[in-house]
Amino acid sequence: LSPAGIAAAPPPLPPSAARPPRGRRRKSMAAAAATASQPAGAEDEAGGAAGSRARGGARRLRLWAHIYLHMQVAGFDLVPRLIGRGGCNMRRIADQTSAKIRIRGRGSGHFEIEGEREAPTPLMVAVTTDKGDQDAFRLAIAMTLQELRNVEVRFHAHCQKQNIVHEGPCYSIGLLPENGKEILADIIEGVPMSTLPSRNR
């Protein structure tokens, strides 16, 4: 019997009751992995990457850019070549700048709508950083453009070998925040600006 006035401690839970079912753990881990791969800014086609909700409801301001990709021809695996083996190219940019890098849109293979469909936007690289870190934003865009130049060389070689005529730029600058052109002026000099109608960006 327990001493007077002292409640008996409840028996310990069995190991199976101390953790969620195996299937639920797998689902939670998958959700966490998917969340980790997304940019912290909500990058929708209307340029919603300007900010995201931080803890407590405050909005975290972001710098962001959409770079549209136009190197989609038969036999050329654009997205795998751009991201690199195991995503190493995009990971290197993220590691050096803390930027969030995502390939999204038609042809990306990234099913972000209910986990079943690609976003109905042009194929793009979306880059997002904290608004207060313009240096990181500039470096992230410069590194992304360098990767695109590397892919562009291989793309032209592929087109030449396959007798494919490709007209227009291989990539172009799409949506930017209000001060984006000013921040990136020297970085994007000479890079074509997108001529897509705004509703398709």
Side-chain angles (χ1 to χ4, degrees), residues 2 16 32-33 43 48 64 107 141 144 200:
S2 302
S16 60
E43 294 168 342
W64 49 271
I141 296 299
T144 301
N200 291 327

Side-chain angles (χ1 to χ4, degrees), residues 63-67 134-142 145 173 175-177 179-191:
L63 288 170
W64 49 271
H66 293 172
I67 304 175
Q134 293 187 8
D135 289 340
F137 181 58
R138 285 168 50 81
L139 180 57
I141 296 299
L145 289 174
I173 303 297
L175 292 176
L176 292 171
N179 59 340
K181 288 184 179 180
E182 179 181 349
I183 295 171
L184 299 172
D186 57 322
I187 304 293
I188 63 176
E189 183 178 4
V191 180

Side-chain angles (χ1 to χ4, degrees), residues 38-44 47-50 62-69 82 90 93-94 97-104 124-131 133-148 173-177 180 184 187-188:
Q38 302 300 318
E43 294 168 342
D44 59 24
R62 301 284 182 179
L63 288 170
W64 49 271
H66 293 172
I67 304 175
Y68 295 109
L69 310 177
L82 179 57
M90 300 297 100
I93 298 172
T97 67
S98 296
K100 307 295 183 181
I101 313 292
R102 181 169 58 162
I103 312 296
R104 67 187 298 255
M124 70 176 77
V125 183
V127 181
T128 311
T129 67
D130 284 329
K131 187 172 185 178
D133 198 346
Q134 293 187 8
D135 289 340
F137 181 58
R138 285 168 50 81
L139 180 57
I141 296 299
M143 294 179 70
T144 301
L145 289 174
Q146 184 56 56
E147 291 299 333
L148 285 169
I173 303 297
L175 292 176
L176 292 171
L184 299 172
I187 304 293
I188 63 176

Side-chain angles (χ1 to χ4, degrees), residues 1 3 5 39 47 63 69 73 78 108 112 116 118 139 145 166 176 183 191:
L1 295 176
L63 288 170
L69 310 177
V73 299
L78 171 58
S108 65
E112 58 185 282
E116 297 178 352
E118 299 168 334
L139 180 57
L145 289 174
H166 178 264
L176 292 171
I183 295 171
V191 180

Side-chain angles (χ1 to χ4, degrees), residues 79 103-112 117-119 123:
V79 174
I103 312 296
R104 67 187 298 255
R106 293 184 290 268
S108 65
H110 175 48
F111 302 125
E112 58 185 282
R117 291 173 291 160
E118 299 168 334
L123 183 63

